[in-house]
Each structure stands twice: as C-alpha cells, then as structure tokens.
Amino acid sequence: MPIHEKALIRPENLLTHDKLVVDGVDVSGHWSTFIAPRVVTDYNERLQDEIAALPGGEFVHRCWQCGSCTNVCTVNAVNPDFNPRFWIYLIRMGMESELLRDKDIIWQCVSCNKCTDACPRQVVPEGVMKATARWLELKGHTPKSSSTHFDEEFSEQVIATGKIEEGRIIRNFFARTGQPLRQEWLVEMAKRIARRLPVKLGMVMGFAALVRPRTRGWAKARRAIEGHVAREETRRRAALGLASAAAAAPPSNDSARTG
Amino acid sequence: MKRQAGDPGRRSGTDMTEGKTMTHSPPPDDKAKYQRVAYYPGCALEGTAHAYDASTRAVGKALGLELDEVPDWNCCGAMEVKNIDPKVQTYLSSRVLSIAANEMHAPVVMAPCNGCYHNLKKAEYDLGHDDASRETVGKISQQAGHAAYQAGQVETIHALDWLKHGVGEAELRTRVSKSLNGLKVANYYGCMYTRPRHIFPEKDCGPGSDSLYQPHFMDDLLAAAGAENVDFPLKTACCGGAHTLSDSDTSTKLVLNILRAAEAAGADVIATECPTCHAGLEMHQVRAEKVFGEKTTVKMLYFTQLLGVALGLSPRSVGVHENVSDGRAALAEKGIA
Ligand code: SF4
Ligand code: SF4
Ligand code: SF4
C-alpha cells in the first residue's frame, strides 16, 4: 500500500546557499541547505470543537492518524494535495492557518465513503470533510463553493415541494454560479439524444418543464422542516461564535436566480 | 449500545461478526415475500432516467412480479440535503418508509436508484441506533401529520435484490428467449450500493447475500440471461456523481478511469443499476470527448434494459433509444436486438 505523506516543511522554506559562513566558519560545500525556522503561534484551541459542532464532524477527535482515509481516497488519486488525514491532524492540533492553505479544495470530497469504510476509528472522514467545508464558508474563509450552491438549490426545491425537477436544478445551478447553460458538451449531449428523441432535449435542458413535480399534502412537512433547519442553523452559528444568520447574512442572491 | 447518528459503530475492518450476529436475518429464501413489493421510483426515474423506470416495470411484469408505487412519495434528498442538514435527510427517507409501513402495510419497499436505496438504508440504521435521530424524525413527522417510521417496520431492497430473491437465476434462465450470448458486459455498481458498509448489515453474510467488496448480484442476473461478464476491477469505484456539475473536471477524470477500465477489460457495454451513475457515465463520456479530447466507445445500458431485451421485450419498450450513449448497434451486432 502506498503511503501518502504530507511534509510539514514548506518548499519555500528550504533555503539553499552557494556560499555560507556561520560564526566565521566557512561551511560552503558541507552545509548548504537549511530550513527557515517557523513558529506557529496562532493556534485556534477551539478548532476541533467547532468542526465537531457541524454535521459530520462529530467524531473527528477519534482519529489516530493512521492515514487509511487518504490512502483509499478517490479525490486524492486525482489530486495528491487532497489529504483528509493531514487536514484532520491540523484540525485536532488547532492549526487553523495551516488548514487555510488548502481551503479551496476541501469541498471537492465526492462523498464516496471509501474513507468511512477504511477508517479503523469510525471517524467518518467523509463527514469531517463536509463539516470542514461548511466551517470555511460559515467563517467567511471561502465563498460558497459550487457544490454548496448545488446543495442549496437542490434542498430548497425538495423542502418547497417534496420533489426535485432535474432540468430546473441544472438551469438554476448554472444561473447561481454564473456559468452559461449552453456548455458545448451539454449541448452535444442533448443533440445526441435529440436525434432520436426530440422531447428529451427539452427535458434534459429543462426548457420544457411545464409541470413542476410536487408531493401531495407536503405543506405541513415543509413548515416542520423549515423550522428545524432554521433552529439548527442558529445553533451551529452560535457554536462557531457567529451572530445569528438573520443578523449576519449578506444580501441573499435570490435575484441572480431564474425561476 | 447507544450511538450518535452517522456513527458506524464497531463493525470495522475484517471483523464483521457484530453486524452479523446483531442485526442480520439469514439470506431470504422465501420468494413469495418479493413477488409484490412497494415501489419507490424516486425523482430521477420520473425525469431523465425514465428508461430505467420503464424497463424496471416491464421486466417485473414479464416475470410476473408486482409493484405498488408508494403514494405521494417525496424525494430522498439524494447526496445534497444531508449537507444542509443530515436529520432532514433522515426524515425525508423516513416519510417514504412510513407510508410503505403504515399506509400500504407493505413488508418490503424496493428502490432501483442507488441514492434512494442508500438513503432509506441509512435512515433505517440511524433510526435504529440513535435517539437524537428518532426524536427529530418523530417531531417533524408529528408536525407533518403522519405516523413516525419505526426502525424494523419495513425491509428496504434494491431492484437487484428484488429480481435476485424474487425470481433468481434458475427461473430467469428458463424465461430468457433472446440470450445475451456474446455480449461482453462490465457490471458497474457505483459507491452507494455498498458504502458505508454499516448501513448494509445483510451484505457479506454468506451464500445468498451480496458482497460489499465484490458485489455480484447484477453479474449473476446478467449471466443467467446469457451475457459474458468481463473481469472488471472498478465495480465499486466512484464516478464523482456528487459533483457531476459542480466539479466537472474531477468527475470527468473519474468517469474516464471507469470507461477506460471497462474497455481494457474488453466490455461492449457497461451495465448500470443507478440513474445517477448512468447519467454520470453518459454525460462525462461526452464531456471527455468534447473537453479532454478523449473518445471512448463503450455503451451504457441499465441492467433492466439488458434483462428486458433478453426476455424478448423490444429495445424500444425498455427505452434503449432514450439513452445518450446509443447501445442499439452494440446489441444488433450480437444479433440480440
Ligand atoms: S468520501 Fe471524500 S474524503 Fe472520503 S474517500 Fe471519498 S472523496 Fe476521499
Ligand atoms: S482513517 Fe481514520 S483514524 Fe486513520 S487517519 Fe483517517 S480519520 Fe484518522
Ligand atoms: S458512483 Fe457516482 S453516481 Fe454512483 S453512487 Fe457513487 S457517486 Fe453516486
């Protein structure tokens, strides 16, 4: 089994000298490479607790750093910088600034749960990845990832009607993330079906969705779920020391959405 | 032992004994139980995966099995709602299970979508192991005006279990009128059919159960229909379906691995058993060609489409023409359709 290690020595801190004199002694040729000293002072002592307060992060404290999660990780195989074991280490050590160096890729976990099965300590690293991505957004370290936009669009539809409509999700997701819907490959895909099935073109691209699917008798469930979500959101923000969503939220991006 | 929601407990590594002794009933041999089941199609099968729905119903009908659709079902939350709130996701599945149990009085509910199947299983596990999940689901159910689902009321199965336990290979073999003889198939199960393992206590329980690491139910059924299953190492690899649109490059790379491996194994088609996997493979096959300039030619077909054709149904009636990757020529070449 390969071991995927992550060095704590940063490449930019490796100092190489052609000519070096230390305390009057010329050590050129014997010693030429040094590691610039680095002292971490900005520990966030609460980091592990904050992650544990978010869904999925509950068991982060169990990790004993075996590295199995990174070893089996689907995303690590395509991007070696994606390293769940390392991030869990940083979270447990409270090394927030170190964690922030990878802030833009943590959301890329694809929830394949290979790590969940491989972990000998039932940490559920998949959940920790989700909790960490959420923590980064709640704390304002990253903007909402495209994945969060997708989750929100999807969840809003489910909560509103009990069902989703795929075309509508694709359409609104592209609008939320400011991407053109007419991506060359999407158009090509639609064309391939359209050759045999004209109706499906509209269905996939979501242009022909005249009837929005909904679950009969959903209204009460909707209210109950909305109440629960609002309470949980307030609880989570409090655990992170943030003001309640209503007070702190930036203007919603509703206007950017098509219906 | 009390556990928090999502805690896999101690069923870990190679030690499967706890799961076996505590939660498992032996593999089913009573076919009758699966002849008529509650059917939860889910959102994808009502939309882009219409062909999976049509072929599932058609195969069931041809084999004399009955499906009662769960009335007024809702979305299971797929892979998205849990990231907003995991207990809401548990509630969504529990509502479907509650209707099956308390309104339909069905002992078994069948879901052909890996996402739905996975979520119902996960809700079953969490409601059986975690007080906080029970409490939240109980509260929302009460406010929504229906009985809260209690763990153990219903058995959740996948379409693969339904055909494997309700019909079985021996009988299937006698019903095949157009053998898939000569068709080389790579069976792709995706991630949600087997992971995380703690929510599938009935898997890896000896003869008659499916395997967590080398699932074979789809292989078994298609072999009975005459297909030649190739040795495919990526059966449970992930296609990146959770980020199929939000991180397309990663998904395309993951899908390309799967397509290349299937072609290297000599497969003519990849058999799928999940609408998200199927759509992911189809979409990113096109995207790999358009964006990465890498063309692959293996075709994707739902396993129910392949079984339907083997049972003598027309390719059209099982929606083969609806697929993005056009499998008609692959079938015609082998004289199957
Ligand atoms: S769930 Fe996420 S972290 Fe775990 S193996 Fe899959 S991609 Fe990696
Ligand atoms: S597999 Fe589990 S215990 Fe091992 S490093 Fe990953 S989270 Fe920690
Ligand atoms: S393989 Fe892809 S689509 Fe299939 S279950 Fe996994 S993530 Fe979902």
Side-chain angles (χ1 to χ4, degrees), chain A residues 159-161 214 218-227, chain B residues 144:
Chain A
I159 294 170
T161 63
R214 47 179 75 242
W218 184 251
K220 281 201 231 157
R222 172 184 183 164
R223 274 195 298 280
I225 294 171
E226 283 171 348

Short mmCIF file of all heavy atoms in Angstrom, two decimals, chain A residues 159-161 214 218-227, chain B residues 144:
data_model
loop_
_atom_site.label_atom_id
_atom_site.label_comp_id
_atom_site.label_asym_id
_atom_site.label_seq_id
_atom_site.Cartn_x
_atom_site.Cartn_y
_atom_site.Cartn_z
N ILE A 159 -37.42 20.91 -0.15
CA ILE A 159 -38.15 21.41 1.01
C ILE A 159 -39.44 22.13 0.55
O ILE A 159 -40.48 22.01 1.17
CB ILE A 159 -37.26 22.33 1.88
CG1 ILE A 159 -36.13 21.50 2.49
CG2 ILE A 159 -38.07 23.01 2.98
CD1 ILE A 159 -35.03 22.32 3.18
N ALA A 160 -39.36 22.82 -0.56
CA ALA A 160 -40.53 23.57 -1.03
C ALA A 160 -41.64 22.66 -1.56
O ALA A 160 -42.82 22.88 -1.28
CB ALA A 160 -40.11 24.56 -2.11
N THR A 161 -41.28 21.62 -2.30
CA THR A 161 -42.33 20.85 -2.98
C THR A 161 -42.32 19.36 -2.66
O THR A 161 -43.22 18.63 -3.05
CB THR A 161 -42.18 20.96 -4.52
OG1 THR A 161 -40.91 20.38 -4.88
CG2 THR A 161 -42.23 22.39 -5.00
N ARG A 214 -44.54 17.82 -7.66
CA ARG A 214 -44.63 18.10 -6.23
C ARG A 214 -45.35 16.96 -5.52
O ARG A 214 -46.12 16.24 -6.12
CB ARG A 214 -45.30 19.45 -5.95
CG ARG A 214 -46.59 19.73 -6.72
CD ARG A 214 -47.18 21.08 -6.36
NE ARG A 214 -46.48 22.22 -6.93
CZ ARG A 214 -45.88 23.16 -6.22
NH1 ARG A 214 -45.88 23.11 -4.91
NH2 ARG A 214 -45.29 24.17 -6.81
N TRP A 218 -47.83 18.18 1.07
CA TRP A 218 -46.48 18.42 1.56
C TRP A 218 -46.39 19.63 2.49
O TRP A 218 -45.42 19.78 3.24
CB TRP A 218 -45.53 18.58 0.37
CG TRP A 218 -44.09 18.75 0.73
CD1 TRP A 218 -43.33 19.88 0.64
CD2 TRP A 218 -43.21 17.75 1.28
NE1 TRP A 218 -42.05 19.65 1.07
CE2 TRP A 218 -41.95 18.34 1.47
CE3 TRP A 218 -43.37 16.40 1.62
CZ2 TRP A 218 -40.86 17.63 2.00
CZ3 TRP A 218 -42.29 15.70 2.14
CH2 TRP A 218 -41.06 16.32 2.32
N ALA A 219 -47.39 20.52 2.45
CA ALA A 219 -47.27 21.82 3.11
C ALA A 219 -46.84 21.73 4.57
O ALA A 219 -45.96 22.47 5.02
CB ALA A 219 -48.59 22.58 3.00
N LYS A 220 -47.43 20.80 5.33
CA LYS A 220 -47.10 20.72 6.76
C LYS A 220 -45.67 20.23 6.97
O LYS A 220 -44.97 20.70 7.86
CB LYS A 220 -48.07 19.76 7.46
CG LYS A 220 -49.41 20.39 7.75
CD LYS A 220 -50.08 19.61 8.86
CE LYS A 220 -51.49 19.21 8.50
NZ LYS A 220 -51.97 18.05 9.26
N ALA A 221 -45.28 19.27 6.14
CA ALA A 221 -43.91 18.76 6.25
C ALA A 221 -42.94 19.90 5.95
O ALA A 221 -41.92 20.06 6.62
CB ALA A 221 -43.70 17.60 5.28
N ARG A 222 -43.27 20.69 4.96
CA ARG A 222 -42.40 21.82 4.59
C ARG A 222 -42.19 22.76 5.77
O ARG A 222 -41.06 23.11 6.10
CB ARG A 222 -43.05 22.58 3.42
CG ARG A 222 -42.34 23.87 3.11
CD ARG A 222 -43.02 24.66 2.03
NE ARG A 222 -42.23 25.86 1.74
CZ ARG A 222 -42.37 26.59 0.65
NH1 ARG A 222 -43.26 26.28 -0.25
NH2 ARG A 222 -41.62 27.65 0.47
N ARG A 223 -43.28 23.11 6.44
CA ARG A 223 -43.16 24.04 7.57
C ARG A 223 -42.31 23.43 8.68
O ARG A 223 -41.45 24.08 9.27
CB ARG A 223 -44.54 24.43 8.10
CG ARG A 223 -45.14 25.62 7.35
CD ARG A 223 -46.32 26.21 8.12
NE ARG A 223 -47.42 25.26 8.29
CZ ARG A 223 -48.32 24.99 7.35
NH1 ARG A 223 -48.27 25.58 6.17
NH2 ARG A 223 -49.29 24.12 7.58
N ALA A 224 -42.54 22.14 8.95
CA ALA A 224 -41.80 21.47 10.02
C ALA A 224 -40.30 21.43 9.69
O ALA A 224 -39.45 21.68 10.55
CB ALA A 224 -42.33 20.05 10.23
N ILE A 225 -39.98 21.12 8.44
CA ILE A 225 -38.56 21.05 8.04
C ILE A 225 -37.92 22.42 8.11
O ILE A 225 -36.80 22.58 8.63
CB ILE A 225 -38.42 20.46 6.61
CG1 ILE A 225 -38.87 19.00 6.60
CG2 ILE A 225 -36.99 20.57 6.12
CD1 ILE A 225 -38.96 18.41 5.21
N GLU A 226 -38.62 23.43 7.62
CA GLU A 226 -38.06 24.78 7.63
C GLU A 226 -37.77 25.24 9.06
O GLU A 226 -36.72 25.83 9.34
CB GLU A 226 -39.01 25.77 6.93
CG GLU A 226 -38.91 25.65 5.41
CD GLU A 226 -39.98 26.45 4.66
OE1 GLU A 226 -40.94 26.93 5.31
OE2 GLU A 226 -39.83 26.58 3.43
N GLY A 227 -38.67 24.90 9.97
CA GLY A 227 -38.45 25.25 11.38
C GLY A 227 -37.20 24.57 11.92
O GLY A 227 -36.36 25.21 12.55
N ALA B 144 -45.87 17.13 10.63
CA ALA B 144 -46.30 16.93 9.25
C ALA B 144 -47.59 16.11 9.19
O ALA B 144 -48.19 15.95 8.13
CB ALA B 144 -45.20 16.24 8.45
#
